Amino acid sequence: MSLFGPGHGACPGCGFPIAVRGALEALDGKVIAVNSTGCLEIVSSMYGRNTWGVPYIHSLFENAGAVAAGIETALRALKRDKEAHVVVFAGDGATFDIGIGTLSGMMDRNHNVIYICYDNEAYQNTGNQQSMATPTGAATTTTPAGKVIPGKMGRKKDMISIAVAHGIPYVASASIAFPKDFQRKVKRAAEFEGAKYIQVHAPCVTGWGIDGKLTVEVARLAVETGLYPLVEYENGKLVRVRKIKDRKPVEEYLKLQRRFRHLFKHPKGKEIIEELQRVADENARRYGLDA
């Protein structure tokens, strides 16, 4: 049986199946998957159409961290903790927003769990409402671009730094555009005892308004502009950064997506684009991204 799919109901070009399949393969299928409510749960666990080839449990939006911690504790009590990795798959809504309390508890107690957030930058399963992962300027159904407001006005929450601040042994960001890098990070995470957090950028074709055949290109441009830096922390120390040769301007990433299209004609659009470029430049300085 396949570790994940075929037969899932994700949209053609959806980014997160690449991450899920990649993580399961990296761990040789020795996984107990905990999946919060969200896109992944909807498309993969329909009655009669389960696409998981590993033990799987669906949790609520808010408690994937707690459910995973409970499973890990039970396995340890039964002396069966070497049989499988406990892995959470959760979207950014369940991670950055609704589930951050139980995730924080899981990291604080340092449960031996790999937590993978597939970051598609909004609540895509319910129709593209903003989350705290939504970037500045993006149009969503709760931050529609109009005459007054040019999309979301706040910044994207820095969950990588929040995870690092918990003092857990391993934290990394990744992208579905670089699947080998992602799989290497999953394998590296599995080498540590304790809580691990990996955040993987995964475009949403409907919410972002992109052609499905451009999913990987859009994800790659997020990295190559510096808007989504790929970094790796071990025991709180930044150990690896994916360098960028000839970093591209953020417009090249924005112009391919309907959610940012208004920025190129809105009176405040230029100001927002300059702010996003400033964020990319700040990432480049902070992590030393430029090769």
Side-chain angles (χ1 to χ4, degrees), residues 61-268:
F61 247 129
E62 66 270 28
N63 66 352
V67 171
I71 293 171
E72 186 269 335
T73 302
L75 289 173
R76 202 155 22 89
L78 294 168
K79 303 188 185 306
R80 297 182 60 183
D81 52 307
K82 304 303 180 188
E83 294 182 14
H85 304 279
V86 179
V87 180
V88 174
F89 294 98
D92 50 281
T95 302
F96 287 57
D97 300 357
I98 303 174
I100 193 169
T102 57
L103 169 58
S104 179
M106 185 205 88
M107 293 192 292
D108 181 62
R109 296 186 298 274
N110 204 26
H111 286 278
N112 191 27
V113 171
I114 302 174
Y115 190 106
I116 298 175
C117 171
Y118 61 94
D119 179 11
N120 55 22
E121 301 190 323
Y123 290 85
Q124 307 296 2
N125 65 311
T126 49
N128 192 35
Q129 293 82 33
Q130 75 154 333
S131 74
M132 292 186 194
T134 303
T136 307
T140 70
T141 55
T142 48
T143 59
K147 292 182 180 179
V148 178
I149 300 175
K152 181 180 175 179
M153 299 303 291
R155 284 191 63 162
K156 182 184 180 83
K157 180 191 283 187
D158 185 359
M159 266 302 299
I160 293 294
S161 292
I162 291 172
V164 171
H166 278 76
I168 61 176
Y170 186 82
V171 177
S173 56
S175 167
I176 60 97
F178 301 93
K180 294 298 183 185
D181 176 71
F182 171 64
Q183 287 191 307
R184 181 188 62 76
K185 287 170 178 171
V186 173
K187 289 179 181 177
R188 181 62 177 156
E191 294 174 1
F192 289 89
E193 185 77 16
K196 287 80 67 170
Y197 177 82
I198 301 175
Q199 185 175 300
V200 56
H201 202 215
C204 171
V205 291
T206 57
W208 295 19
I210 59 175
D211 189 322
K213 66 185 179 185
L214 297 179
T215 297
V216 172
E217 181 179 348
V218 169
R220 183 182 296 114
L221 281 169
V223 175
E224 292 178 346
T225 56
L227 283 172
Y228 214 94
L230 302 188
V231 300
E232 212 170 348
Y233 288 88
E234 294 180 3
N235 297 310
K237 182 180 179 182
L238 182 65
V239 293
R240 278 174 288 274
V241 171
R242 187 179 188 87
K243 296 285 187 177
I244 306 169
K245 186 178 180 181
D246 299 325
R247 187 159 50 94
K248 296 178 170 60
V250 297
E251 285 93 335
E252 291 197 26
Y253 171 65
L254 304 177
K255 67 184 180 184
L256 296 180
Q257 305 173 58
R258 187 182 60 233
R259 62 177 178 159
F260 293 119
R261 191 168 298 165
H262 59 282
L263 297 179
F264 295 94
K265 55 187 178 183
H266 194 282
K268 297 182 180 177

Side-chain angles (χ1 to χ4, degrees), residues 136 155 226-227 274-284:
T136 307
R155 284 191 63 162
L227 283 172
E274 289 175 350
E275 169 60 17
L276 289 168
Q277 186 61 59
R278 192 192 64 75
V279 170
D281 294 342
E282 180 182 308
N283 287 336

